[in-house]
Amino acid sequence: MGSLTICDHPLIQHKLTHIRDKETNTKDFRELVDEVATLMAYEITRDIPLESVPVNTPVTEAVGKVISGRMLGLIPVLRAGLGMVDGMLKLIPAAKVGHIGLYRDPDTLIPAEYYVNLPADATQRMLIVIDPMLATGGSANAAIRTLKQRGCQQIKLMCLIAAPEGVAAVQKAHPDVDIFLAALDERLNEHGYIVPGLGDAGDRMYGTK
Ligand code: URA
């Protein structure tokens, strides 16, 4: 089973409370999500492999560590996932960014792809799927499945807030995927919103509706 990490650093929890607040305006919402993404990036990258390299300091020859192999790939799920990309890139500027767009088929209610564009070397990178709200798990599972169908194997999932139902769905469908959250909330309501949640992440991020 993949790990479940709640990034409960006080700075993340403080900012998340302001993100949840319905009085927080679009500009502040966007900035806070960006900041939380940067802080979460620190946690998510904790186990990326390092290799030793020689380095000449002004004092002596030494051996330092650098990240081994290719940098990460960030895969935001459109559109709310976009709001966490720049915050991640502040810490991982060499990461490549792919995009997955999904819509809910009105007949089957199953998420269907309308756009997939991945880095050419995606199969050789550790990929972080970014989907701020893990509600039923339908879109996260579909995005992860899309990556696996294209041969990607090292995949992590990053969300701001999850419902227990969404976590269980991803763990069942993709037990190899580690999940990183800022908060695990109580439940889904009858409209599919996370409770207490933050409302519709995309609408709050872009000022729509
Ligand atoms: N998507 C959102 O944006 N918010 C929710 O609460 C659930 C899914």
Side-chain angles (χ1 to χ4, degrees):
M1 180 72 72
S3 62
L4 173 65
T5 303
I6 317 276
C7 303
D8 59 357
H9 190 285
L11 288 174
I12 295 179
Q13 296 308 308
H14 175 91
K15 291 173 193 294
L16 185 62
T17 300
H18 290 293
I19 289 171
R20 290 182 187 276
D21 187 341
K22 67 179 184 183
E23 302 302 335
T24 297
N25 66 29
T26 305
K27 171 182 174 288
D28 291 344
F29 185 93
R30 212 181 280 144
E31 287 174 4
L32 286 159
V33 169
D34 181 78
E35 290 166 13
V36 167
T38 305
L39 294 165
M40 288 183 73
Y42 185 79
E43 194 62 46
I44 293 176
T45 52
R46 184 174 284 282
D47 66 351
I48 53 179
L50 296 171
E51 63 188 32
S52 299
V53 292
V55 59
N56 293 317
T57 79
V59 180
T60 184
E61 290 177 7
V63 175
K65 306 260 191 204
V66 294
I67 291 166
S68 174
R70 294 181 200 231
M71 267 291 177
L72 307 179
L74 308 180
I75 315 291
V77 178
L78 303 178
R79 79 188 147 141
L82 289 177
M84 299 181 82
V85 171
D86 286 350
M88 298 279 290
L89 288 174
K90 281 183 195 132
L91 278 199
I92 324 164
K96 294 209 171 158
V97 182
H99 297 87
I100 296 181
L102 300 167
Y103 70 95
R104 191 179 286 250
D105 185 300
D107 299 325
T108 62
L109 300 184
I110 293 171
E113 293 166 10
Y114 66 84
Y115 185 74
V116 181
N117 196 344
L118 302 180
D121 57 358
T123 57
Q124 293 156 61
R125 290 176 182 257
M126 178 190 289
L127 302 180
I128 302 176
V129 173
I130 305 173
D131 198 2
M133 305 301 279
L134 180 58
T136 62
S139 58
N141 274 345
I144 295 166
R145 190 170 59 242
T146 292
L147 295 176
K148 287 184 174 174
Q149 281 167 347
R150 286 162 172 77
C152 304
Q153 288 173 336
Q154 279 183 278
I155 302 170
K156 298 185 183 201
L157 174 64
M158 172 189 193
C159 312
L160 268 186
I161 300 178
E165 296 90 330
V167 171
V170 173
Q171 287 178 331
K172 183 162 180 231
H174 301 290
D176 54 314
V177 170
D178 294 334
I179 304 173
F180 294 81
L181 312 173
L184 179 60
D185 276 10
E186 288 165 25
R187 61 185 170 85
L188 287 180
N189 70 13
E190 60 280 18
H191 305 294
Y193 279 93
I194 299 175
V195 179
L198 53 71
D200 187 294
D203 282 341
R204 294 202 59 200
M205 203 170 293
Y206 297 110
T208 46
K209 259 210 189 132

